[in-house]
Amino acid sequence: MQPIYDWFREFYERTGINLTFIYDDFDRARIIKGFFLTLELSVVTVILSILVGIAGAWLQGSRLVWIRRIVAAFISFFRNTPPLVQIYFFYFGLGYLLPRIPDGSGAMIPMISNVQWAIISLSLFAGAFNIEIFRSGIEAIPKSTVEAATAFGFSRWQTYRLVVLPMAIRICLPALGNNLVNLVKTTNLAYAIAVPELLYVSKQIWSDSTNVREMMLFVLFAYLALVFALVALLNAIERRLAVPGFGQQGGH
Amino acid sequence: MLRYRDAFTLPALLSAPAASPPPGGGDRSGSRQTPSPRPAEGVSASAIAPDSARASKAAPTPDASSSPLQGEGGHFSFLLVSALFVLVVAITATVAVAQQPAPAKASALEVLIRWAPLLLWGFGFNILISVMAMAIGTVAGVPVGIAQLSPVAPLRIVARIATQLFRNSPWLVLLFLCVFLIPFEIRIFDLRIPFPDWAKATMGFALPVMANTSEITRGAIQSVATGQWDSARALGLSRRKALYLVILPQCVKRMLPPWMNLYSLIAMSTVNASIVGVNEMITLTSQVHAAEGSRPELLAPLYAFALACFFIYCYPIGKWTQALERRYQLT
């Protein structure tokens, strides 16, 4: 690897394009850590938001009107307020109200760290959208299918788990994919509460080395790569889940 | 190749069947000839469409009670969320009283009342930025969207690359890009055009708006039945005239709901400008917090106030969008 680092150092001297995050050990360690934190944030929030969506969509089918109302209020709150302010509200507002706990060395630290708050608020934000998506998928399932499952003696939960959800997921995969792509793009809002993810470490690096332009473009392309990887993954999942004759159109 | 295009058209996908491009359709071939399935073409075909929008529309007998969001839950959710805001302010206010034995400090409510005019002024600035970004983005985006379907290959390719690039990059990164890379003033000989932070931020928001409007336009054009093009051609109209006189007027209706959704999203993301130091509501909120002695118990009510402002502004837009979707869906 050393020749490559040397080449980029020389590249900087020749052209003035300063890619410190390649040749400088310290910056490289930072950027790799930041990238993996962004990856971790993305994976964890994607999984949690899907769980929130499934749970919420199930609760929305509840017979109790107040449960439905509370879910509807949850959705409209997270859909109609800025995610950044949600993060601030959770981290600064609610974080202050929670008790502090001692860490290993005896210092008092907040019960929920900034990374955890970012995960919680982003999952809830994307989860609110997922509820709507799953609901639209569930509503698209013919009532007769559900009735048939009931006729087989399936309980409500069994019908949901074995009949409704597998079909609904296939129907709403494109919309779900869109939302998850959006979620991955939104993870960088965690920057605002000093979560050292990709954008945050990039900012640290460009503050140190004043190579704003290079870092900016690198961050842009790193996120694009992440998004395109997710898109490829979602396309693969969609192909894998495809049931012949169901959820397909135009022979694609 | 992207099937999952930018996430920010998710609401469009969800609820505006017309604006979502046909699955696996002309995106790749780049020709407008791709037959686009119309939502009304038949329940059997569309009920199993991968596009959830169409699927949900075609759901058999969607009685009002099965969708609580549009039914009785609608107004309740507004009331519930409002009650929640009041509760948060009340709770944090009492917590503050309990923890601060010295009565000299102002309560959360007093602080909010004292600073509300300033904060609302900041909120107005947010709205101003969002309106300008939306105007610039739309004026730029519609031609790009039309260019995406142009028969001229280089134009089409450039338009597609620009659209995909700006749709798939995070909005915050685009904002950073504009704020840090646009010079603070442009000099043309002796003429100096200053570029303050908020103007650069507006450009940063206009970029994703442009890309999304471009996609909305393309989707809407492609969703117009090909018969419309054919009959326009039969009447002797050129491609250009067919586009302006026949196709685009039909697109406006289809574009309006997803475009309003986009506005709602951009209005909410204007707070991101606080990260780069634009003097909008959230920046002012933290300044107010500092002016009140940086007491941590004030943070929850202050941010709850900001959340409430955006909720009150965006909730009716969302409801209006839903109403428009339902109305246009019938035609």
Side-chain angles (χ1 to χ4, degrees):
Chain A
M1 294 305 269
Q2 198 55 45
I4 299 175
Y5 305 155
D6 290 340
W7 190 85
F8 273 102
R9 204 183 295 270
E10 204 186 307
F11 182 68
Y12 168 46
E13 278 156 17
R14 267 189 297 138
T15 61
I17 297 172
N18 190 5
L19 300 171
T20 47
F21 61 92
I22 295 179
Y23 66 74
D24 186 83
D25 290 339
F26 184 64
D27 283 358
R28 189 169 56 245
R30 279 202 284 195
I31 206 91
I32 289 171
K33 248 182 142 177
F35 182 77
F36 276 103
L37 187 59
T38 291
L39 209 61
E40 187 194 323
L41 276 178
S42 308
V43 171
V44 175
T45 51
V46 160
I47 292 170
L48 286 179
S49 75
I50 290 175
L51 292 180
V52 169
I54 291 174
W58 190 62
L59 287 175
Q60 263 208 334
S62 163
R63 281 185 213 91
L64 297 172
V65 68
W66 272 100
I67 290 185
R68 293 209 301 270
R69 281 174 186 166
I70 288 169
V71 176
F74 172 83
I75 294 170
S76 55
F77 170 77
F78 280 97
R79 277 189 76 139
N80 292 304
T81 51
L84 178 69
V85 187
Q86 289 166 15
I87 291 177
Y88 279 154
F89 179 74
F90 279 114
Y91 178 61
F92 292 122
L94 298 188
Y96 168 74
L97 296 177
L98 291 175
R100 291 177 160 252
I101 50 165
D103 68 349
S105 59
M108 297 300 273
I109 54 159
M111 205 163 81
I112 298 176
S113 74
N114 55 354
V115 178
Q116 287 161 335
W117 273 123
I119 288 173
I120 291 170
S121 53
L122 288 170
S123 305
L124 291 178
F125 167 68
F129 282 88
N130 282 351
I131 295 175
E132 288 262 80
I133 291 167
F134 285 131
R135 184 181 62 93
S136 74
I138 288 168
E139 275 179 12
I141 289 168
K143 270 220 171 94
S144 51
T145 310
V146 180
E147 281 163 8
T150 318
F152 274 138
F154 282 27
S155 69
R156 196 171 111 70
W157 169 241
Q158 278 177 321
T159 311
Y160 186 73
R161 188 169 60 91
L162 298 170
V163 179
V164 174
L165 205 59
M167 286 171 82
I169 282 179
R170 285 172 174 83
I171 291 171
C172 61
L173 249 174
L176 181 67
N178 266 334
N179 189 34
L180 297 183
V181 167
N182 182 22
L183 175 58
V184 169
K185 284 163 45 181
T186 315
T187 53
N188 57 15
L189 284 186
Y191 169 97
I193 53 172
V195 172
E197 44 74 71
L198 189 58
L199 187 62
Y200 191 83
V201 291
S202 303
K203 157 109 186 189
Q204 285 181 328
I205 292 175
W206 84 54
S207 304
D208 292 351
S209 316
T210 58
N211 53 348
V212 182
R213 214 170 307 155
E214 294 92 327
M215 289 314 296
M216 230 32 272
L217 289 176
F218 168 74
V219 169
L220 188 63
F221 285 111
Y223 273 107
L224 282 175
L226 209 60
V227 165
F228 279 77
L230 179 65
V231 167
L233 179 72
L234 287 164
N235 280 337
I237 290 175
E238 198 180 346
R239 269 198 303 278
R240 181 98 174 69
L241 286 181
V243 176
F246 180 79
Q248 287 159 322
Q249 214 173 38
H252 285 278
Chain B
M1 280 308 184
L2 272 185
R3 293 273 316 268
Y4 301 97
R5 286 172 206 88
D6 182 334
F8 280 103
T9 46
L10 145 74
L13 256 179
L14 253 183
S15 42
S20 53
D27 191 29
R28 273 153 254 190
S29 66
S31 85
R32 61 155 186 88
Q33 263 84 359
T34 318
S36 19
R38 300 213 48 180
E41 248 172 24
V43 172
S44 56
S46 49
I48 55 164
D51 184 341
S52 67
R54 221 167 291 130
S56 71
K57 296 287 146 58
T61 60
D63 55 322
S65 62
S66 70
S67 58
L69 249 198
Q70 290 163 16
E72 90 270 70
H75 298 291
F76 266 99
S77 61
F78 186 78
L79 290 178
L80 264 182
V81 174
S82 321
L84 203 74
F85 284 131
V86 175
L87 204 69
V88 164
V89 174
I91 287 175
T92 47
T94 47
V95 167
V97 169
Q99 290 184 349
Q100 303 287 328
K105 289 176 181 163
S107 76
L109 201 61
E110 283 168 7
V111 170
L112 275 184
I113 292 169
R114 188 183 311 154
W115 294 102
L118 180 72
L119 293 175
L120 287 175
W121 187 88
F123 182 62
F125 196 46
N126 279 76
I127 291 171
L128 181 72
I129 290 177
S130 70
V131 169
M132 287 197 313
M134 200 66 192
I136 297 170
T138 305
V139 169
V142 172
V144 176
I146 295 171
Q148 279 202 78
L149 297 167
S150 161
V152 184
L155 190 64
R156 188 172 66 228
I157 291 166
V158 169
R160 293 211 165 173
I161 290 176
T163 305
Q164 291 302 338
L165 186 70
F166 291 124
R167 295 188 74 201
N168 288 299
S169 31
W171 293 19
L172 187 59
V173 175
L174 289 178
L175 181 67
F176 270 58
L177 207 69
C178 284
V179 169
F180 289 119
L181 297 186
I182 295 177
F184 69 95
E185 63 174 21
I186 297 173
R187 278 194 200 183
I188 307 169
F189 302 112
D190 278 344
L191 183 70
R192 280 187 191 185
I193 304 168
F195 246 71
D197 265 358
W198 61 266
K200 291 194 266 186
T202 306
M203 292 307 294
F205 295 121
L207 275 182
V209 172
M210 181 205 77
N212 283 285
T213 311
S214 161
E215 278 298 89
I216 291 171
T217 310
R218 184 185 68 88
I221 293 174
Q222 283 188 327
S223 76
V224 174
T226 40
Q228 297 285 329
W229 286 96
D230 298 339
S231 22
R233 187 58 57 88
L235 286 172
L237 296 177
S238 66
R239 188 187 141 78
R240 182 180 295 262
K241 277 198 167 170
L243 187 66
Y244 289 116
L245 297 175
V246 180
I247 305 298
L248 283 183
Q250 299 184 55
C251 289
V252 173
K253 259 187 180 180
R254 294 159 193 239
M255 285 171 62
L256 202 56
W259 186 80
M260 281 166 62
N261 254 322
L262 179 64
Y263 174 70
S264 182
L265 287 167
I266 209 76
M268 290 193 290
S269 52
T270 50
V271 293
N272 293 2
S274 69
I275 298 178
V276 289
V278 176
N279 233 2
E280 50 67 74
M281 190 183 199
I282 298 305
T283 313
L284 289 176
T285 300
S286 56
Q287 285 172 3
V288 164
H289 179 241
E292 286 293 334
S294 295
R295 287 146 55 199
E297 73 270 13
L298 284 179
L299 281 165
L302 281 172
Y303 285 122
F305 182 72
L307 285 172
C309 285
F310 278 95
F311 186 77
I312 290 166
Y313 184 66
C314 292
Y315 186 84
I317 296 177
K319 281 282 151 195
W320 191 20
T321 310
Q322 277 183 353
L324 281 181
E325 274 160 10
R326 275 200 296 277
R327 216 175 90 197
Y328 292 155
Q329 178 198 329
L330 297 173
T331 54

